[in-house]
Amino acid sequence: MASGSVNKLSRFAIVLLFSLSCFSLTSTEAYDVFDPNGNITIKWDIMSWTSDGYVATVSMINYYQYRHIQAPGWTLGWTWAKKEVIWSMLGGQTTEQGDCSKYKANIPHCCKKDPTVVDLLPGAMYNLQAANCCKGGVLSSWAQDPVNAISSFQLTVGASGTTNKTVRLPKNFILKAPGPGYTCGPARIVKPTKFVLPDRRRATQAMMTWNVTCTYSQFLAQKTPTCCVSLSSFYNDTIVNCPTCTCGCRNKGDPQSCIKCD
Ligand SMILES: *[C@@H]1O[C@H](CO)[C@@H](O)[C@H](O)[C@H]1NC(C)=O
Ligand SMILES: *[C@@H]1O[C@H](CO)[C@@H](O)[C@H](O)[C@H]1NC(C)=O
Ligand SMILES: *[C@@H]1O[C@H](CO)[C@@H](O)[C@H](O)[C@H]1NC(C)=O
Ligand SMILES: *[C@@H]1O[C@H](CO)[C@@H](O)[C@H](O)[C@H]1NC(C)=O
């Protein structure tokens, strides 16, 4: 049957890909065997400067073709460069407020040096929403549903630089999905994003934009780094019809390094 041979062919292709990866990768390399050109880009657009900081829209765009983030969803963390605080947020929230005791009148949303943000749940109060928010951290993949492959929240940041010369880029971005697996690079200043208005007759632009790129590594996702690749948990069976797990050849001398899974 035609579909049977297609399945055999795709199994063969996957096993081949997989075997190649065993010889060419080290355990720390962030590289997704099945989607080598994919990434999740975090885009930080400063929309306006304020008297003590700025308002930014932070978007996460999943450029992976098939790797989506399922419930309970993503968490995004970073470390502030100075003593920045988050006055308020829309479309997301930090998991902890931290120690805001030095603030008396207005209390910030978060005073932690290393805040962790999560998405709001569907049905969040309207006045707390932002565009592309409130999906409980679920992020579709680009090939499956590009409209839902983006997740955004808005931050009002204080105790920060207030111009593109004095603002400091946050560091050490950590994306969890919700487990490990992603490695994020440093923030890089890029050309300010242009926003085309709905009538398409005018474009506005961000005051300043920086991007962070996060990539997935099968090896990082596993507690014991092995060549044991679980295929079924990340890929829709319809797309990858093959054994649920493939074990292989990493560290040939060390039998422990290959875990048998079903
Ligand atoms: C992330 O993926 C997109 C889409 O494939 C690609 O255009 C972009 O160059 C990638 N970014 C990096 C830093 O690799
Ligand atoms: C900062 O702003 C000035 C104008 O105020 C502009 O000429 C410059 O290109 C900006 N730099 C960055 C990195 O956005
Ligand atoms: C920054 O990210 C945005 C959104 O993914 C993308 O359109 C843009 O090309 C990126 N810029 C650079 C220089 O990678
Ligand atoms: C797998 O993908 C097919 C086609 O895109 C879809 O009809 C099906 O519901 C998906 N299955 C799961 C478990 O997501």
Side-chain angles (χ1 to χ4, degrees):
M1 264 194 321
S3 72
S5 55
V6 168
N7 280 345
K8 270 191 201 134
L9 197 65
S10 65
R11 269 182 217 198
F12 173 73
I14 282 160
V15 170
L16 183 68
L17 258 177
F18 166 77
S19 325
L20 288 174
S21 75
C22 285
F23 293 108
S24 59
L25 290 181
T26 64
S27 64
T28 52
E29 234 167 334
Y31 176 84
D32 189 338
V33 181
F34 300 105
D35 209 340
N37 299 315
N39 63 70
I40 293 185
T41 300
I42 297 159
K43 189 164 64 83
W44 197 297
D45 288 313
I46 297 189
M47 308 304 285
S48 59
W49 301 107
T50 62
S51 59
D52 72 338
Y54 58 85
V55 177
T57 297
V58 179
S59 306
M60 226 177 285
I61 304 149
N62 184 6
Y63 288 118
Y64 280 107
Q65 295 296 308
Y66 298 112
R67 185 174 296 284
H68 55 278
I69 297 182
Q70 287 164 319
W74 53 261
T75 65
L76 179 65
W78 62 84
T79 306
W80 290 118
K82 296 192 292 186
K83 300 217 176 314
E84 290 88 341
V85 294
I86 301 172
W87 281 118
S88 62
M89 286 189 71
L90 294 176
Q93 60 187 3
T94 63
T95 54
E96 287 183 63
Q97 182 179 32
D99 178 6
C100 293
S101 58
K102 73 173 189 174
Y103 287 85
K104 299 282 184 283
N106 291 320
I107 312 289
H109 176 82
C110 179
C111 300
K112 277 181 77 93
K113 176 91 178 159
D114 54 348
T116 299
V117 170
V118 293
D119 196 6
L120 297 183
L121 297 175
M125 279 197 294
Y126 188 73
N127 62 349
L128 295 179
Q129 293 185 12
N132 301 311
C133 82
C134 314
K135 294 179 273 205
V138 171
L139 202 54
S140 301
S141 65
W142 198 253
Q144 285 170 321
D145 186 0
V147 172
N148 287 308
I150 174 164
S151 201
S152 307
F153 54 86
Q154 197 190 83
L155 292 172
T156 301
V157 178
S160 152
T162 55
T163 68
N164 71 8
K165 302 267 180 326
T166 54
V167 74
R168 293 286 168 267
L169 277 48
K171 295 180 286 201
N172 303 330
F173 280 83
I174 298 174
L175 174 64
K176 294 190 177 164
Y182 287 92
T183 314
C184 300
R188 290 189 200 287
I189 296 170
V190 299
K191 279 214 316 228
T193 305
K194 288 196 171 157
F195 302 97
V196 179
L197 300 187
D199 68 4
R200 307 205 147 265
R201 297 180 42 166
R202 175 178 151 80
T204 57
Q205 92 180 47
M207 299 289 149
M208 184 178 184
T209 300
W210 54 78
N211 277 6
V212 176
T213 305
C214 304
T215 50
Y216 186 85
S217 160
Q218 216 97 47
F219 297 129
L220 288 178
Q222 291 174 250
K223 288 201 186 86
T224 323
T226 66
C227 269
C228 197
V229 180
S230 171
L231 300 167
S232 60
S233 56
F234 294 109
Y235 292 87
N236 183 327
D237 284 348
T238 319
I239 294 163
V240 180
N241 180 348
C242 59
T244 53
C245 184
T246 310
C247 288
C249 54
R250 156 154 268 268
N251 286 348
K252 286 195 196 72
D254 176 10
Q256 293 298 318
S257 71
C258 185
I259 292 176
K260 254 207 143 27
C261 39
D262 62 53

